[in-house]
Amino acid sequence: GTPVASAKEVAENADITFSILLKPEHIEENTLGPKGIVAAKKKGLIHVEMSTMYPSWQAGLAEKLRAQGIEMLDAPISGSHPKVDNRTISIMVGGKKEVFDRVYPILKPLAVSVDHTGPNGTGATMKVVTNLFVNSALALLCETILTGERCGLSHETMMTCLSKGSVKGAMLDQTAPRIMARDFAPRGAVEIFVKDMGMAIKLAKEKGFDLQIVKAAREMFMRAEAAGWAKDDAVRVIEV
């Protein structure tokens, strides 16, 4: 690619822009800010926002961009670094179907699946729902392995038996070896798990119910964060 000094310059030289950032203020700076994509004043531009953000916030950003003549898709991904590298992530996309159809040929080579979820905000909702399960399951898997270790089961025995029963699956295959090795090199950081699970709890509360399991799991990650492990991989939660 060609290096540029701002998102504005990217938009001036592209028909479709993409971003994936950690915080809302970073996204706003690069979209609505003085050097953001709106400053290019390019009607018909499409922006694909791949960051994991709150659904109503994503829908609100789409409205603001549409008022400036820019269509937006919220298109968060499911899958960490190894899946990004080998292009086996999943992408969940909210926005107008005709806009999705235009961007789909660009997204498809990057992922094992690219699914249209509905209007703006639904891609973000699907990501929250996905993370709700994945993040809580990781905490449970840590407790599963720790219990087996404390009871004298070998890692080999646990992997052999767990992989043949109802626990088998991608979570076990990809994460259990790192938990057992106490490999805390960051893939999905503790602080990101805390943020994402907080979104799930807030979303459920808005819909009139509480996520009891997610709350308990999030408290584990919050303890890991408080211990100074915010940037470590989330499997560090086994040590709390």
Side-chain angles (χ1 to χ4, degrees):
T2 303
V4 296
S6 68
K8 175 178 177 288
E9 289 186 43
V10 175
E12 288 171 342
N13 294 280
D15 296 320
I16 303 172
T17 59
F18 296 78
S19 68
I20 181 165
L21 300 163
L22 183 60
K23 297 181 179 180
E25 54 266 32
H26 299 158
I27 300 170
E28 289 175 344
E29 178 183 354
N30 283 283
T31 53
L32 305 171
K35 294 184 180 180
I37 61 173
V38 298
K41 300 185 184 302
K42 191 169 184 177
K43 302 299 181 182
L45 184 70
I46 296 174
H47 178 62
V48 183
E49 186 50 64
M50 306 187 80
S51 310
T52 299
M53 292 291 145
Y54 201 68
S56 59
W57 189 92
Q58 290 278 40
L61 178 62
E63 289 181 9
K64 293 174 183 176
L65 291 177
R66 190 169 294 120
Q68 299 292 330
I70 300 171
E71 287 294 341
M72 190 192 103
L73 300 172
D74 48 286
I77 68 172
S78 178
S80 59
H81 295 300
K83 287 193 171 185
V84 172
D85 293 339
N86 60 28
R87 302 190 177 198
T88 56
I89 57 172
S90 298
I91 306 177
M92 303 146 280
V93 189
K96 293 180 179 178
K97 181 62 165 56
E98 60 268 28
V99 180
F100 169 81
D101 289 341
R102 184 176 170 191
V103 176
Y104 179 83
I106 299 172
L107 294 176
K108 187 62 185 78
L110 305 176
V112 70
S113 65
V114 180
D115 296 297
H116 184 241
T117 54
N120 283 118
T122 59
T125 300
M126 193 64 240
K127 178 60 185 293
V128 172
V129 170
T130 300
N131 282 0
L132 179 162
F133 175 82
V134 172
N135 297 3
S136 299
L138 188 146
L140 181 59
L141 183 57
C142 284
E143 290 193 333
T144 298
I145 290 170
L146 187 60
T147 301
E149 289 175 343
R150 295 289 176 88
C151 293
L153 294 175
S154 70
H155 290 161
E156 181 181 4
T157 295
M158 282 192 279
M159 286 300 293
T160 297
C161 295
L162 290 173
S163 64
K164 293 177 181 177
S166 299
V167 183
K168 68 179 178 181
M171 173 69 73
L172 179 69
D173 295 341
Q174 296 169 14
T175 309
R178 293 192 288 112
I179 297 171
M180 292 172 175
R182 303 306 193 261
D183 176 6
F184 305 134
R187 294 169 181 84
V190 168
E191 62 183 353
I192 295 176
F193 274 50
V194 172
K195 173 183 75 75
D196 290 354
M197 297 174 88
M199 285 195 287
I201 291 167
K202 178 182 176 183
L203 184 61
K205 189 171 290 292
E206 286 182 358
K207 301 304 178 183
F209 68 103
D210 290 325
L211 296 174
Q212 301 296 334
I213 294 172
V214 178
K215 277 185 178 179
R218 184 172 186 255
E219 288 176 3
M220 295 170 64
F221 291 108
M222 290 175 68
R223 291 200 297 274
E225 187 176 48
W229 302 328
K231 304 292 184 184
D232 287 355
D233 190 85
V235 300
R236 190 86 193 227
V237 77
I238 195 170
E239 297 203 336
V240 302

